[in-house]
Amino acid sequence: MLKFLKGVVGGSGTGVKDLPYNIGEPYSSAWGSWLHCRGTSKDDGSPVSIFSLSGNNPQDGHLAAGRNGVKRLRTVRHPNILSFLHSTEAEVSDGATVKVTIYIVTEPVMPLSEKIKELGLEGTQRDEYYAWGLNQIAKAVSFLNNDCKLVHANVCVASVVVTQTLDWKLHAFDVLSEFDGNNPSASGPMLQYEWLVGTQYKPMELVKSDWAAVRKSPPWAIDSWGLGCLIYELFSGMKLSRTEELRNTASIPKSLLPDYQRLLSSMPSRRMNTSKLLENSEYFQNKLVDTIHFMEILNLKDSVEKDTFFRKLPNLAEQLPRQIVLKKLLPLLASALEFGSAAAPALAALLKMGSWLPTEEFSSKVLPTIVKLFASNDRAIRVGLLQHIDQYGESLSAQIVDEQVYPHVATGFSDTSAFLRELTLKSMLILAPKLSQRTISASLLKYLSKLQVDEEPAIRTNTTILLGNIASHLNEGTRKRVLINAFTVRALRDTFSPARGAGIMALCATSSYYDTTEIATRILPNVVVLTIDPDSDVRSKAFQAVDQFLLLLKQYYEKQTSSGDTTGMSTGTSLDLGNAGLLGWAMSSLTLKGKPSEQAPVATANSSTTLTSSASTPSFVSGVDTPSTTMVHASSSTDLSDQPVPVSPTSTDGWGEVENGIHEEHESDKDGWDDIEPLEEPKPSPVLANIQAAQKRPVSQPVSHSKPPATSLRPKSAVKVTKDEDDDLWGSIAAPVPKSASKPMTVKPAVTADDDPWAAIAAPLPTTTAKPLSSSRIRGAKPAAPKLGAQRINRTSSSGV
C-alpha cells in the first residue's frame, strides 16, 4: 500500500535531483507543517511555488496526510483551487535515519496574510478587494461541497493563497475527504486526518467527534463554519486563537454581518450554504466584483452591453484599487482584445491602464497585445490604435514597427474611408523614424505619392506637412530626388490654399537640404509666384520664404567672397527662422462632405482659381499639435516638363522608381509620381541659352517654308496638371529660342531677336523636315558639357512638326 501511495505521489518525479525546478527562498508562513518556497523552472525560468513536507518516519501521519493532499490536489480542478503542476517524494539517508520529503509544485502564489500586508489597502478599496476574494473562496467551497460532495474541513486564512493576478485560491487539501452522510452503516470517523485541524477552527459537533451528527448535517455545514472563521480573521487582522473570539463582530462590515452570523450558526442544519451566500449577499454587490465578473463572462454579453461597459471602464478604473486594476483587470482586458471578445472602445481603457505601469512592464504586458491588434480586420480597432498611437508608439522597437506593425498600417493608405487614410498618414509621424530605408523607399513613398493627389484637400495638406517633418530620415539621394518635387510641383500648385501654405512651410523647414543652385533655379522661381497668391496667408508665407532663401544665398555669396573659393555649391547652412515650428498637422479631422474640385495649378498672376465655400471646405488650423520630432524625410510629387531638376545620381526618372507597382489600375492617370519626367539640369539665363542654341545648330542655308515648324527648347512631358491646360505655366521663365527668319515660333521668347546681340550668328534652321519626336522620354541624349559656369542641360531637337 505504501509503495502504491509513493507511486501516486511520485508519479511525476523520482527525487529532488530530478525535480525540474529550482527551490528558492521560503515564505514566512504556510499551512500546517508545510514549507512554502519560491521557485523557478529549470527550462524557461518561469516562477512557481514549491510546497515541501518532511518527516523522519515514512509511516508518519503528517506524511500520510500530505500524500492525501497531493492526490486530491492533482484530481480536483477549479478556477479558484490552486493549480497543480508537479510532485515528487524524495528519501535522503542521513546516517541511521532516513528523511522523507514530499514536494508539490504549483502555480506561483503567495500566502494571503503576506499579500494583504504588501497591498496595504484601506477603507472602501480594502472592503471591495476582500469582497472579491471571499467571493472566489466561496465559489471554491461551494464547488467542493455541492458539486463534488467533498469536505475541506479547514477553511481559514492559512489555507488561502493569492496568485500574481491577485486571485484568491484554496489549497491545503490534506484533510479533504468525501462526505458519506448518505451511508447509514458508517460509524467511524468521516475525516481521517481531522486531528490536523486546530480546535479553534472546528464547529462544536466536530470538537465532540459526534460523527453521527456530522453525517446528519448538510455537506456544507463544516466548511460554512470555516468560511465564517476566514471572515473573522480577514477583517480583524488577527489569527483566530479561540472559538469564543468569533462572537466579536465589531470589525465585520454591516452588510456582511447577517450572513456571517448564519454561517456560524450553532445548529449545523441552519448554517448558510455557500452557494446561497454568493447569490444573496449584499456585500458582494460592489464595483470591483461587478467589473471583474462582467469581464469573466464577456463572451455571454451582447454588443450593446459590451460597448456600454467599455466606454465607462476608463473612468471606473480610476475608482478601483490600482493594484487590482493592473494585475487583474488589465490582463483580462488584454486577453479579451487579443481574442476578439472585447469591443473597440476597450482599447482606450487598455491604454489608460497601461499608462499606470512602469515602462518595462508596459512593454511586456501591453505592447504584445497592441502589436497583435494591428492584424485585426476590425476597422474600429484600427482607428482606435491610430488615434492613440502617441501613447505607445515610442515604446515600439524599430524591428517590430518595420516587420509587424507597418505592413498592416500601410493598408490604411488606400482605404476607402478618408478618415482612416488621414489617421494612417498622421501615424507616420511616429512610425516613419523607425522604418528602414528600404521600407521607406519601396513602400512608404509610393503611398505618399498617391496621397498628395488625394481627393480630400486635408489629406493632401497633411501629406506635405508629413514630408517636411520626416525629411531628416531620408538618405541624401532620396532627399535630392524627392523634396523639391513634392513641395514645388504639387504642393505649391494645389487649389487648396492651406496646401500651398504647407508647401511653403515645408520648403523653409527643410532649407538646409538644398544647395544654392536648387534655391536659385528651382525654389525661388516657384515661391515668388505665390507672393501674388489670392490667399493672404499664402502670400505672407511666400514673402517670408523669399526672404529666408535670399538670406541663404546672400550668406553663401559672402562666404564664398571672403574665402575666394567658388567650387562648393552647398549652402551648408541651416537657417533657423522659426519655420520648423510652423509645421503642424493642418487638419485635426476631415469635415469635407462633398468631393473637392479637381486640382489646378495656381502659379500665374492672373489665376482666377478660388477656394470653394467654407461650407464645403475644411477649415485650416495652423500650428495645431506642432510635432516635437526632428524633421525627417519627404515624399515628392510630379515635376512638370518645364521645371528644371538636377540629375539624380540614383534615378533617371525622378519619382518613377518609387511609384511602380502601386495602383496599377490607375496607370493612365497623370497624377501619380510614376509620371515624373526625367530630372533635367537647371536652365541657363535667356542670353546664355541663345548663345548655346546657336553654337549647337548645324550650319546650313535656310529654306523657305510656308509654315515653319514650331520649335521647343524643352523636352516633351507626359505630365499635365490639368488635361485642358492651354497656357504654359512656366513660359515666362523658360529659355528663349532663336527667332526664325520666315515666321516667329509659337513659344514666346523672353528676349527678342532684335535685342539679342548673338542673333546674328545663329545658325539657320535645317533644310530637311525632322521626324516628329515621340512623346515618350528621351533617354539616349547625352548632356552637353558645362559652359560659362552654367549647369548641364539635356540637348533637345531644334525642330518640330
Side-chain angles (χ1 to χ4, degrees):
M1 181 65 181
L2 180 60
K3 291 183 178 179
F4 170 76
L5 290 176
K6 286 184 178 180
V8 171
V9 174
S12 55
T14 57
V16 67
K17 293 182 179 180
D18 300 320
L19 188 68
Y21 300 93
N22 298 313
I23 302 177
E25 294 295 321
Y27 290 100
S28 59
S29 61
W31 181 85
S33 301
W34 288 89
L35 181 65
H36 182 185
C37 300
R38 303 169 178 87
T40 57
S41 172
K42 293 180 180 179
D43 296 333
D44 55 8
S46 58
V48 296
S49 282
I50 300 177
F51 296 84
S52 60
L53 178 65
S54 300
N56 295 327
N57 183 1
Q59 307 298 327
D60 186 275
H62 289 85
L63 292 177
R67 296 185 183 102
N68 177 66
V70 172
K71 181 183 70 172
R72 298 293 187 177
L73 195 61
R74 293 180 67 181
T75 55
V76 178
R77 299 284 179 161
H78 187 268
N80 303 120
I81 292 177
L82 185 62
S83 298
F84 173 90
L85 298 178
H86 187 90
S87 68
T88 189
E89 184 172 338
E91 295 182 359
V92 179
S93 299
D94 185 13
T97 61
V98 177
K99 186 177 181 180
V100 180
T101 305
I102 299 174
Y103 295 94
I104 305 177
V105 182
T106 68
E107 61 181 315
V109 290
M110 177 184 286
L112 175 61
S113 57
E114 296 188 27
K115 177 58 72 173
I116 290 175
K117 294 177 181 179
E118 179 184 292
L119 292 175
L121 298 176
E122 295 180 356
T124 304
Q125 291 190 346
R126 186 201 70 163
D127 289 345
E128 288 180 346
Y129 180 57
Y130 285 179
W132 169 245
L134 288 172
N135 182 279
Q136 292 181 302
I137 297 302
K139 287 180 180 178
V141 173
S142 176
F143 170 74
L144 293 175
N145 297 158
N146 298 305
D147 299 333
C148 302
K149 303 302 179 183
L150 296 173
V151 178
H152 185 279
N154 193 22
V155 179
C156 59
V157 167
S159 61
V160 177
V161 288
V162 184
T163 66
Q164 292 179 326
T165 57
L166 301 183
D167 290 309
W168 291 17
K169 295 202 172 186
L170 186 66
H171 81 121
F173 283 6
D174 294 20
V175 190
L176 189 71
S177 300
E178 287 85 359
F179 180 78
D180 60 351
N182 295 326
N183 185 5
S185 60
S187 57
M190 187 180 73
L191 304 176
Q192 184 178 1
Y193 304 106
E194 55 86 17
W195 50 271
L196 289 172
V197 181
T199 305
Q200 69 272 27
Y201 295 112
K202 293 180 179 180
M204 189 57 61
E205 66 273 15
L206 197 58
V207 171
K208 297 178 179 179
S209 298
D210 188 354
W211 298 111
V214 170
R215 288 186 170 90
K216 292 179 181 179
S217 303
W220 58 83
I222 295 177
D223 287 338
S224 292
W225 180 277
L227 191 59
C229 297
L230 170 63
I231 293 174
Y232 174 81
E233 289 186 324
L234 199 59
F235 288 99
S236 67
M238 299 182 296
K239 187 176 181 180
L240 183 64
S241 57
R242 296 182 302 116
T243 304
E244 289 75 12
E245 294 176 355
L246 296 173
R247 299 179 183 275
N248 184 4
T249 61
S251 59
I252 308 299
K254 293 182 178 180
S255 58
L256 185 60
L257 184 58
D259 296 324
Y260 170 78
Q261 293 173 335
R262 293 181 62 188
L263 289 171
L264 296 174
S265 174
S266 58
M267 298 181 62
S269 59
R270 287 190 170 185
R271 290 176 195 154
M272 175 180 282
N273 190 341
T274 49
S275 62
K276 299 295 183 182
L277 176 69
L278 293 171
E279 295 173 3
N280 303 325
S281 178
E282 179 186 348
Y283 179 69
F284 295 123
Q285 309 300 320
N286 62 57
K287 292 179 291 187
L288 179 63
V289 175
D290 293 342
T291 301
I292 297 178
H293 181 67
F294 189 98
M295 289 295 301
E296 290 182 336
I297 59 172
L298 193 60
N299 289 329
L300 304 179
K301 302 295 183 179
D302 59 39
S303 58
V304 176
E305 290 177 309
K306 290 180 182 179
D307 189 75
T308 303
F309 172 78
F310 287 122
R311 291 187 187 280
K312 295 179 180 179
L313 186 57
N315 293 330
L316 182 61
E318 295 181 348
Q319 306 171 24
L320 301 177
R322 184 60 54 88
Q323 291 296 324
I324 317 299
V325 170
L326 297 180
K327 294 185 177 182
K328 177 63 180 179
L329 275 181
L330 183 60
L332 285 174
L333 191 58
S335 177
L337 278 168
E338 186 174 336
F339 293 103
S341 57
L347 185 61
L350 177 73
L351 293 174
K352 184 168 186 177
M353 295 177 188
S355 65
W356 299 333
L357 290 171
T359 304
E360 294 182 358
E361 290 188 31
F362 180 84
S363 299
S364 61
K365 295 181 178 180
V366 179
L367 277 186
T369 300
I370 292 177
V371 172
K372 292 179 182 178
L373 288 178
F374 274 105
S376 172
N377 294 326
D378 188 344
R379 184 174 289 179
I381 292 287
R382 175 68 56 81
V383 168
L385 288 170
L386 297 179
Q387 284 179 326
H388 300 92
I389 197 169
D390 57 313
Q391 299 181 28
Y392 61 86
E394 296 300 330
S395 302
L396 295 169
S397 67
Q399 182 179 2
I400 289 178
V401 171
D402 198 53
E403 297 178 0
Q404 301 181 46
V405 175
Y406 175 78
H408 298 294
V409 174
T411 59
F413 285 123
S414 54
D415 196 273
T416 55
S417 170
F419 181 61
L420 188 54
R421 292 200 305 275
E422 185 192 30
L423 286 177
T424 304
L425 178 66
K426 290 183 176 182
S427 70
M428 289 300 109
L429 191 65
I430 294 176
L431 298 182
K434 299 176 182 291
L435 296 177
S436 64
Q437 286 297 319
R438 180 177 181 179
T439 302
I440 290 175
S441 299
S443 178
L444 179 60
L445 293 183
K446 294 180 180 180
Y447 289 113
L448 294 183
S449 71
K450 293 296 183 184
L451 292 183
Q452 242 194 341
V453 291
D454 194 271
E455 62 181 3
E456 295 291 347
I459 292 180
R460 299 199 301 269
T461 305
N462 285 341
T463 302
T464 301
I465 294 174
L466 173 66
L467 292 172
N469 274 283
I470 65 175
S472 63
H473 295 285
L474 298 178
N475 56 47
E476 184 178 357
T478 304
R479 284 198 294 263
K480 289 285 185 183
R481 181 166 52 86
V482 168
L483 293 183
I484 297 181
N485 283 339
F487 299 148
T488 60
V489 178
R490 283 185 177 168
L492 297 188
R493 302 181 185 185
D494 200 296
T495 57
F496 191 49
S497 60
R500 300 196 296 276
I504 297 174
M505 290 190 295
L507 282 170
C508 294
T510 57
S511 59
S512 60
Y513 300 129
Y514 313 126
D515 57 39
T516 53
T517 302
E518 291 173 325
I519 292 175
T521 62
R522 303 185 62 195
I523 296 177
L524 280 175
N526 286 281
V527 175
V528 166
V529 177
L530 296 181
T531 58
I532 55 174
D533 191 272
D535 186 270
S536 60
D537 186 57
V538 175
R539 292 197 302 270
S540 175
K541 289 182 173 66
F543 279 112
Q544 293 177 9
V546 169
D547 292 340
Q548 175 176 344
F549 285 111
L550 285 177
L551 182 57
L552 285 174
L553 292 178
K554 183 177 180 180
Q555 289 177 348
Y556 173 75
Y557 170 76
E558 293 174 350
K559 179 180 178 182
Q560 295 302 318
T561 302
S562 61
S563 64
D565 180 13
T566 59
T567 58
M569 297 304 294
S570 175
T571 62
T573 304
S574 178
L575 192 62
D576 184 9
L577 297 181
N579 291 295
L582 296 176
L583 279 179
W585 288 113
M587 306 297 157
S588 60
S589 63
L590 290 173
T591 57
L592 187 62
K593 301 299 181 182
K595 184 176 181 180
S597 60
E598 294 183 359
Q599 293 190 128
V602 181
T604 59
N606 59 355
S607 174
S608 60
T609 305
T610 57
L611 296 179
T612 55
S613 63
S614 59
S616 61
T617 305
S619 59
F620 179 78
V621 184
S622 61
V624 175
D625 299 332
T626 302
S628 60
T629 57
T630 336
M631 300 304 156
V632 220
H633 93 266
S635 77
S636 152
S637 73
T638 310
D639 191 5
L640 296 181
S641 61
D642 52 5
Q643 178 66 32
V645 185
V647 176
S648 170
T650 58
S651 172
T652 60
D653 59 348
W655 289 87
E657 68 181 24
V658 299
E659 183 60 23
N660 296 333
I662 290 291
H663 299 298
E664 287 143 358
E665 67 273 18
H666 300 300
E667 287 180 355
S668 61
D669 294 347
K670 301 304 180 183
D671 292 331
W673 286 350
D674 51 345
D675 298 323
I676 296 298
E677 280 294 288
L679 302 182
E680 302 176 65
E681 302 290 349
K683 292 182 179 181
S685 63
V687 176
L688 179 58
N690 285 336
I691 296 175
Q692 293 174 345
Q695 290 173 341
K696 291 184 289 183
R697 188 174 293 116
V699 179
S700 61
Q701 296 297 326
V703 179
S704 177
H705 294 279
S706 59
K707 187 178 181 181
T711 304
S712 175
L713 292 182
R714 53 179 181 153
K716 293 183 180 294
S717 170
V719 178
K720 305 293 180 184
V721 179
T722 58
K723 297 181 179 181
D724 298 329
E725 183 177 60
D726 296 326
D727 57 340
D728 183 2
L729 294 176
W730 301 102
S732 60
I733 63 172
V737 296
K739 189 173 182 179
S740 172
S742 59
K743 190 176 182 179
M745 293 184 179
T746 56
V747 178
K748 294 182 180 180
V751 180
T752 63
D754 295 340
D755 298 331
D756 184 7
W758 299 97
I761 64 170
L765 295 174
T767 57
T768 59
T769 302
K771 186 178 180 180
L773 291 175
S774 171
S775 61
S776 60
R777 297 167 182 162
I778 304 174
R779 299 186 180 271
K782 297 182 179 179
K787 296 180 181 182
L788 299 180
Q791 293 292 311
R792 294 183 303 168
I793 62 173
N794 292 333
R795 299 181 62 183
T796 59
S797 174
S798 60
S799 62
V801 180

